[in-house]
Amino acid sequence: SQQGEEDPQALSIQEGENATMNCSYKTSINNLQWYRQNSGRGLVHLILIRSNEREKHSGRLRVTLDTSKKSSSLLITASRAADTASYFCATNQGAQKLVFGQGTRLTINP
Amino acid sequence: EAQVTQNPRYLITVTGKKLTVTCSQNMNHEYMSWYRQDPGLGLRQIYYSMNVEVTDKGDVPEGYKVSRKEKRNFPLILESPSPNQTSLYFCASSYLFSYENSYNEQFFGPGTRLTVL
C-alpha cells in the first residue's frame, strides 16, 4: 500500500516563484526521502531526512519533517523551468522497504 | 559511471510469451528492487533482494519471478505476461540500510516500458 500521500497532486507556478509540496504518512518511519522524476524516466534521489531531524537543506531545496504530525514538506526556492517534474516522497519502513507516494506533478511556466 | 541499467527499454509482446527484463548495477549494492509505475497508483514494489540468493515479495508479486544469482544482476521474469502487466518498470539498488547512517538512497534505472497485447 502507498503510505506517503503527496499534496497537491499537481502544482503550476511561474518561474522564479517558490514551490511547496507536502507529504503525509501513517506509520512510524526511520527516514523520509524525496525523489524527482522527469517525464517517463527513472527517479533521482534529492534528499533524505532522518526521523530525528526537523529540517534539512540542499541547494535550493528545503525539507522539513514533523513526526508528531506525520508530515513532511519540500520547498523549492527560485524555481526554474528545469524543475518541471514529478516529485515523490518515500518513507522507509523497517529495514529496507521504501514506500512511495503517488507524487506531485510540478510545472514551472516561463 | 555509477549506474543501474535495464534492458530492453521498450518492449511490445503478446499474452503468454515469456519475457525477461534484465537489471544490472555497478555500485556493489547489496539491495535491489523492482517497481512498476502505473497512472494514479504511483510506484509499487514487485520484488526485492537484500543480497545474493535472498529475494522477497513486495506488494504486487503475482505474475512475476526474480532471481539473484550474482550481486550485480536482478532480472525480472514474466512467465506468462498478461495485458494487466502493461506498465513502466523500474529497477533500483542501494546499500543496505543502516540506521546510524540512514544511507539507503535508491538508485533507479531508466525504466522499461512494457506493453502486453
Side-chain angles (χ1 to χ4, degrees):
Chain A
S1 62
Q2 296 293 325
Q3 166 159 259
E5 296 287 338
E6 286 93 343
D7 170 59
Q9 291 189 351
L11 179 62
S12 181
I13 61 174
Q14 295 300 119
E15 195 166 14
E17 293 180 339
N18 296 342
T20 299
M21 289 158 270
N22 302 297
C23 169
S24 61
Y25 57 92
K26 296 186 177 71
T27 64
S28 297
I29 60 172
N30 300 114
N31 63 52
L32 186 144
Q33 304 180 38
W34 284 91
Y35 288 80
R36 183 187 73 229
Q37 182 183 32
N38 291 93
S39 180
R41 306 184 74 166
L43 280 73
V44 175
H45 181 263
L46 293 176
I47 197 165
L48 180 153
I49 186 165
R50 295 170 61 171
S51 58
N52 62 354
E53 297 176 315
R54 292 296 166 258
E55 188 170 312
K56 204 160 182 180
H57 296 253
S58 177
R60 292 184 297 113
L61 305 180
R62 181 172 79 98
V63 169
T64 61
L65 178 64
D66 187 336
T67 53
S68 67
K69 295 182 180 176
K70 291 186 169 59
S71 68
S72 173
S73 67
L74 171 67
L75 168 67
I76 304 174
T77 60
S79 62
R80 305 167 182 168
D83 295 328
T84 293
S86 291
Y87 292 81
F88 295 85
C89 68
T91 51
N92 183 271
Q93 298 177 39
Q96 293 302 322
K97 188 175 176 66
L98 266 189
V99 179
F100 286 84
Q102 295 188 19
T104 292
R105 191 170 61 254
L106 175 65
T107 302
I108 308 299
N109 301 305
Chain B
E1 180 190 353
Q3 60 183 348
V4 178
T5 57
Q6 294 179 227
N7 282 292
R9 295 288 313 281
Y10 303 91
L11 180 60
I12 300 174
T13 188
V14 295
T15 299
K17 186 176 180 183
K18 181 179 177 180
L19 66 92
T20 299
V21 184
T22 64
C23 172
S24 183
Q25 50 93 6
N26 62 0
M27 295 167 278
N28 203 35
H29 287 162
E30 297 90 354
Y31 180 85
M32 297 186 75
S33 180
W34 276 103
Y35 299 89
R36 60 178 289 175
Q37 185 177 30
D38 303 288
L41 296 175
L43 275 87
R44 294 178 292 169
Q45 189 178 50
I46 303 170
Y47 269 95
Y48 66 96
S49 168
M50 291 178 68
N51 216 325
V52 175
E53 301 292 1
V54 180
T55 63
D56 278 296
K57 295 178 181 179
D59 295 318
V60 288
E62 294 77 22
Y64 304 94
K65 285 174 62 176
V66 292
S67 68
R68 187 89 182 273
K69 296 190 174 109
E70 306 164 282
K71 197 172 187 179
R72 63 183 294 129
N73 297 323
F74 190 46
L76 179 70
I77 302 155
L78 284 74
E79 295 268 3
S80 183
S82 62
N84 64 12
Q85 292 178 299
T86 292
S87 187
L88 180 57
Y89 291 87
F90 290 102
C91 179
S93 70
S94 73
Y95 291 110
L96 274 180
F97 176 75
S98 162
Y99 184 75
E100 289 73 25
N101 295 323
S102 291
Y103 189 64
N104 70 328
E105 69 170 276
Q106 293 201 0
F107 292 79
F108 281 77
T112 295
R113 190 168 291 280
L114 172 66
T115 301
V116 183
L117 301 174

